[in-house]
Amino acid sequence: MAETIVKIENLVKRYKDLIAVDHLNLEIKKGEVYGLLGPNGSGKSTTINSMLSLLAYDKGSIEIFGKEMTPVSYDIKKKIGIIMQDVAVFDELTVYENIDYFCGLYIKDKETRKKYVTDAVNFTGLNDFLKFYPKKLSGGLLRRLNIACGIAHKPELIILDEPTVAVDPQSRNKILEGIQELNRNGATIIYTSHYMEEVEQICTRIAIMDKGRKIAEGTKEELKRMIKNTETITVETENVPDEILSRINDLSHVYETEQSEGRLIIRCGGGKHNLIRVLSVLQEAELNFGRVYTELPTLNDVFLEITGKVLRDREE
Amino acid sequence: MQVFNAFMKVLKKNLPTVIIWVAIFLSISIIVSKSGSENSEFKSKVLNVCVFDEDNTESSRAFRDFIASKHNVYELENDDDRILDELFYETKDYVITIKKGFSENLSDGITEGLFDNRYVHESYSNVLMTNLADEYVKTVRAFLAKGDNLSTAQKNAADTLSLNVEVTKETFKEEHIYSDDYSALFSAYFQYLPYVFLQILVSALCPVLLTMNKKNIRNRTNCSSIRPSSQTFQIFLGSMIFVLGLWLLFMISGALLNEEFYRGRALLAVLNSFVFILISTGIAILIASFNPGRVGVNVLSNIISLGMCFLCGIFVPQEVLSDSVLSAARFLPAYWYIRVNNMLSGVSGEIFSSSLCMKFIGIEVLFALAIFAAALTVTKIRHDKA
């Protein structure tokens, strides 16, 4: 059984009348990439800040590496790397000086630090920008610098709080690949995001949070198994008559149909060959239709089914 | 000492501001000290005078010689246009015509209407020459009245008016008010230091503190294994090294500019300036604790430094400020700084008392402590809220 790295029990954090974290329990094992998924305001960052003792919480306990985490747990802090949502670097220092500064907060020995900084630079691909000041870097490079500053001291536990916000797709992929490589090198990762694709891509275990509570936890497969939906078939067509809709609804495993904006959406729960059966009905009725596609359930479907609302923010 | 090193690197980025302020202040001080170090000398002005002698007597020639002993006398063609040109182009300052009958009238004791004068109006040469001629005539008349004949009277008058009296310029001194240890140059140099200290520290130290205390960076540093107390200490150490360096730079520059080292009362001025730079540091830290942003820092540095300097008697002497302004200024530290400086230099006429000086400096220390306490309180409240 893998060693427990983080154990949170019954954590409660209130801001006056608002309960930001509501009796949260988490257990993260060594070597995991643990995803905290939830919409903005679901309590992910508050949980992270409480874990790091940046916030005082009202109730509960937090243990990291088997010891209680307090603001003076410097031996624990030594083993943690943090990459915040907002870029936290000095505008007045160069890329190299920034990484060296944050690495130096953990590593006193100059020679070791130099090697670690070089490793972090290589890892994040910032070799060509060492003498650049942060203001001269693009958004993606800035995020990479932010990550380099957080991982340079080779921490055992790395906490990434929405590290890909406002990053272009290319840089985002590079960051995600980097996180997976850090995990392969032995680091345990806690990754918070409201981008479900990212969480699905890199996390070995996921907790879905909403209104400060953990509403589901498991691997992505386990989470998807929790819900009724196994397949969603979309047919581009106009005004499907009620009679045909009723025939589709009567097909086995179809549990819901929905017509909107020139599309017929059919949700199935289990079974095989659902698409063929739906197409047969449409052909028999001699109905004109355009593209047809089928999707497996996503974490958004999981979130939708559990909370009754979509996970994605509207602006995304 | 990672935090200290980072502090110094960030400070380095703000050094151009410091250099500009130091250069401006020292340049002005050099100019003032150079102009002040020259001895004040008074020389009698020599005018270019043209004399037309219509009387052409021994007496009129004696008068002409007398003028020649005081000023440059030139011959000129007696032509109105030419004379006016010479006056217009200021090649001649004054044209005097000794009217016919000068000798007779002078011996009869008549002093009016002896000359015709032409000069440029509103020129001081007018006053100078007219006075000289009047003085001459009056002196001759005095000697005539004494019983001298005209030629003797003219000779005696010329001798009398040629007498030079050696004048030694001395400033009124009262032992308890003035001191040789603290010259007027020192006084002027120290007078403006509060403005420079406030400007430099608010505009250079504040941005560094703002950067070091940026929420994101502070959070990241707090997540590391460095203790907050060590972090604060390193920032404090960096600030103090900068402040002490700045203060030493100004003290050494002051001594070099004034070409003498500090002793006696000047040492009190040095202490006074040290306390004030601590006050300025406190003000910079207090401003930074409110996190006003770079633009805010610029605005506040001007408001605080200029406001304090005008209200407390740095730019305008305290003697000319109204009582109500001075009453309000008592609640500002610069007021007490200037009180000490004025007492040390004696410019306000306040009798020097070392105990009173120390009392005023003590009030400044209390201000410094209060400002530091306020800065710490604001910082703590803001950190707790965050």
Side-chain angles (χ1 to χ4, degrees):
Chain A
M1 184 119 180
E3 178 194 347
T4 299
I5 299 292
V6 178
K7 191 174 181 184
I8 297 176
E9 282 184 332
N10 225 12
L11 182 71
V12 177
K13 171 66 190 171
R14 290 191 188 89
Y15 293 105
K16 292 182 182 168
D17 294 336
L18 176 81
I19 301 178
V21 180
D22 190 0
H23 296 90
L24 180 74
N25 291 293
L26 287 181
E27 196 167 334
I28 300 166
K29 301 282 184 191
K30 186 175 177 142
E32 278 190 317
V33 180
Y34 192 89
L36 279 177
L37 180 67
N40 289 335
S42 59
K44 303 185 299 288
S45 294
T46 307
T47 304
I48 296 296
N49 287 337
S50 301
M51 276 173 63
L52 294 166
S53 292
L54 292 175
L55 274 180
Y57 46 89
D58 299 294
K59 201 177 157 189
S61 69
I62 297 171
E63 279 184 16
I64 300 179
F65 297 111
K67 290 178 187 171
E68 191 193 353
M69 180 66 176
T70 65
V72 292
S73 303
Y74 300 111
D75 51 338
I76 299 175
K77 286 181 175 182
K78 257 184 191 171
K79 299 182 198 172
I80 302 175
I82 172 77
I83 292 117
M84 295 285 193
Q85 189 172 345
D86 300 317
V87 175
V89 294
F90 289 97
D91 289 335
E92 294 82 356
L93 304 187
T94 62
V95 165
Y96 186 90
E97 287 170 338
N98 264 301
I99 303 171
D100 182 65
Y101 170 77
F102 288 108
C103 185
L105 296 177
Y106 302 86
I107 310 291
K108 302 290 168 216
D109 180 60
K110 270 189 179 176
E111 283 306 308
T112 313
R113 191 163 78 227
K114 198 173 173 184
K115 186 183 169 302
Y116 279 20
V117 172
T118 309
D119 288 348
V121 168
N122 291 334
F123 181 79
T124 46
L126 289 167
N127 308 58
D128 295 335
F129 308 97
L130 294 181
K131 289 188 176 173
F132 279 51
Y133 286 95
K135 282 193 174 164
K136 297 278 177 193
L137 298 178
S138 66
L141 286 172
L142 202 56
R143 288 278 166 188
R144 276 148 71 178
L145 171 61
N146 198 32
I147 291 172
C149 292
I151 60 148
H153 60 289
K154 299 194 190 295
E156 292 175 40
L157 172 65
I158 302 171
I159 299 169
L160 298 110
D161 189 7
E162 311 226 19
T164 56
V165 171
V167 171
D168 62 278
Q170 201 184 348
S171 294
R172 181 179 293 192
N173 285 335
K174 217 161 173 108
I175 289 169
L176 295 179
E177 282 167 20
I179 292 166
Q180 285 175 311
E181 198 183 327
L182 286 169
N183 179 240
R184 281 195 292 275
N185 292 341
T188 304
I189 313 275
I190 299 175
Y191 188 87
T192 79
S193 179
H194 58 265
Y195 295 127
M196 58 180 181
E197 299 89 348
E198 285 182 5
V199 174
E200 273 197 77
Q201 188 183 333
I202 65 164
C203 295
T204 52
R205 214 145 60 87
I206 301 155
I208 298 177
M209 291 187 70
D210 188 41
K211 293 177 181 169
R213 285 180 293 124
K214 182 177 75 177
I215 54 172
E217 186 185 34
T219 63
K220 59 186 172 192
E221 292 79 13
E222 285 170 348
L223 288 171
K224 286 172 188 174
R225 277 201 296 273
M226 285 178 190
I227 60 170
K228 197 174 175 183
N229 181 279
T230 57
E231 187 179 10
T232 303
I233 299 165
T234 307
V235 182
E236 288 182 354
T237 183
E238 296 287 344
N239 300 327
V240 180
D242 288 347
E243 184 205 339
I244 296 166
L245 265 184
S246 152
R247 281 173 62 192
I248 294 171
N249 268 324
D250 289 344
L251 290 172
S252 55
H253 305 298
V254 172
Y255 69 91
E256 190 180 64
T257 55
E258 180 189 332
Q259 258 197 109
S260 69
E261 295 170 358
R263 287 185 309 171
L264 172 64
I265 298 165
I266 303 140
R267 294 197 177 88
C268 309
K272 289 178 179 175
H273 312 301
N274 294 322
L275 177 62
I276 294 169
R277 284 202 295 270
V278 168
L279 288 176
S280 300
V281 172
L282 294 174
Q283 278 171 341
E284 276 170 26
E286 294 182 344
L287 200 74
N288 290 328
F289 56 87
R291 285 195 304 157
V292 178
Y293 45 93
T294 176
E295 291 169 297
L296 294 172
T298 62
L299 291 176
N300 191 41
D301 296 313
V302 177
F303 192 80
L304 176 70
E305 198 161 317
I306 296 173
T307 66
K309 59 188 180 186
V310 288
L311 178 59
R312 278 183 186 283
D313 290 339
R314 194 164 283 278
E315 64 270 18
E316 290 161 42
Chain B
M1 296 294 272
Q2 279 299 99
V3 179
F4 174 80
N5 290 339
F7 179 94
M8 285 302 176
K9 281 176 186 167
V10 177
L11 180 64
K12 208 171 125 187
K13 290 275 163 194
N14 287 284
L15 274 187
T17 314
V18 180
I19 292 167
I20 289 169
W21 277 106
V22 171
I24 291 172
F25 182 74
L26 291 183
S27 307
I28 294 171
S29 298
I30 289 168
I31 294 166
V32 170
S33 68
K34 291 291 169 200
S35 61
S37 62
E38 287 167 13
N39 291 327
S40 301
E41 285 182 4
F42 298 94
K43 279 185 180 173
S44 52
K45 175 79 182 172
V46 178
L47 302 175
N48 294 328
V49 183
C50 180
V51 182
F52 293 106
D53 186 359
E54 289 178 352
D55 193 45
N56 200 17
T57 56
E58 194 183 329
S59 178
S60 65
R61 281 192 291 277
F63 176 63
R64 186 186 179 284
D65 292 343
F66 169 71
I67 294 172
S69 71
K70 299 277 181 190
H71 301 289
N72 299 324
V73 172
Y74 293 91
E75 299 291 332
L76 199 66
E77 188 187 341
N78 197 354
D79 173 64
D80 276 355
D81 290 341
R82 175 78 196 277
I83 290 167
L84 289 174
D85 280 350
E86 296 280 342
L87 288 171
F88 178 79
Y89 292 111
E90 296 182 4
T91 48
K92 303 290 177 290
D93 299 304
Y94 200 92
V95 177
I96 185 165
T97 305
I98 305 168
K99 287 163 81 174
K100 193 148 185 73
F102 168 80
S103 178
E104 261 178 70
N105 290 335
L106 192 62
S107 56
D108 290 346
I110 298 167
T111 56
E112 298 294 322
L114 298 175
F115 314 108
D116 265 343
N117 307 320
R118 273 176 282 185
Y119 47 79
V120 178
H121 284 280
E122 296 174 5
S123 161
Y124 68 92
S125 56
N126 157 30
V127 180
L128 213 60
M129 256 312 290
T130 310
N131 280 351
L132 184 70
D134 286 350
E135 218 173 346
Y136 180 83
V137 170
K138 281 173 188 165
T139 313
V140 170
R141 199 178 145 195
F143 279 106
L144 286 173
K146 186 194 145 205
D148 288 351
N149 61 33
L150 182 60
S151 78
T152 313
Q154 278 187 289
K155 187 179 175 302
N156 287 338
D159 291 345
T160 307
L161 293 175
S162 300
L163 285 176
N164 283 324
V165 178
E166 195 167 321
V167 177
T168 309
K169 192 182 73 163
E170 274 193 33
T171 314
F172 173 76
K173 275 194 173 185
E174 191 177 318
E175 198 180 334
H176 292 292
I177 296 179
Y178 296 95
S179 163
D180 290 337
D181 302 336
Y182 198 57
S183 65
L185 284 175
F186 263 143
S187 168
Y189 184 81
F190 278 88
Q191 169 98 2
Y192 297 104
L193 274 185
Y195 175 66
V196 186
F197 284 164
L198 281 169
Q199 271 292 354
I200 292 179
L201 289 178
V202 177
S203 54
L205 186 61
C206 262
V208 184
L209 294 173
L210 285 181
T211 300
M212 299 306 292
N213 288 318
K214 228 191 257 178
K215 194 185 166 196
N216 295 343
I217 289 174
R218 189 98 192 173
N219 275 349
R220 182 166 243 171
T221 313
N222 285 345
C223 289
S224 73
S225 51
I226 189 170
R227 289 164 196 273
S229 55
S230 165
Q231 195 183 333
T232 309
F233 170 74
Q234 290 183 47
I235 292 174
F236 177 77
L237 184 67
S239 305
M240 279 303 127
I241 286 175
F242 169 62
V243 167
L244 282 177
L246 188 71
W247 178 73
L248 278 175
L249 172 72
F250 277 107
M251 290 307 104
I252 293 167
S253 305
L256 291 175
L257 286 173
N258 294 303
E259 294 173 357
E260 60 176 303
F261 203 70
Y262 303 101
R263 61 191 162 84
R265 284 189 195 182
L267 288 173
L268 278 174
V270 170
L271 176 66
N272 194 26
S273 70
F274 180 73
V275 174
F276 198 84
I277 205 167
L278 292 183
I279 292 169
S280 307
T281 310
I283 290 171
I285 295 171
L286 182 62
I287 291 171
S289 67
F290 283 104
N291 197 14
R294 296 257 172 171
V295 178
V297 164
N298 288 338
V299 172
L300 285 171
S301 72
N302 283 320
I303 292 174
I304 291 172
S305 57
L306 289 174
M308 215 185 275
C309 291
F310 277 111
L311 284 175
C312 299
I314 292 169
F315 291 156
V316 182
Q318 284 187 347
E319 295 76 57
V320 300
L321 292 173
S322 70
D323 287 345
S324 54
V325 171
L326 287 175
S327 302
R330 281 167 189 270
F331 296 98
L332 298 169
Y335 170 84
W336 300 101
Y337 176 92
I338 292 298
R339 279 288 297 273
V340 174
N341 197 51
N342 286 351
M343 190 188 280
L344 292 174
S345 61
V347 292
S348 61
E350 198 167 2
I351 292 171
F352 171 74
S353 151
S354 59
S355 61
L356 200 55
C357 262
M358 291 309 288
K359 188 183 156 192
F360 292 163
I361 291 173
I363 292 171
E364 289 177 59
V365 171
L366 291 178
F367 268 109
L369 291 174
I371 293 166
F372 274 108
L376 289 175
T377 309
V378 173
T379 307
K380 190 170 183 332
I381 290 170
R382 288 183 70 90
H383 281 185
D384 288 350
K385 271 190 180 173

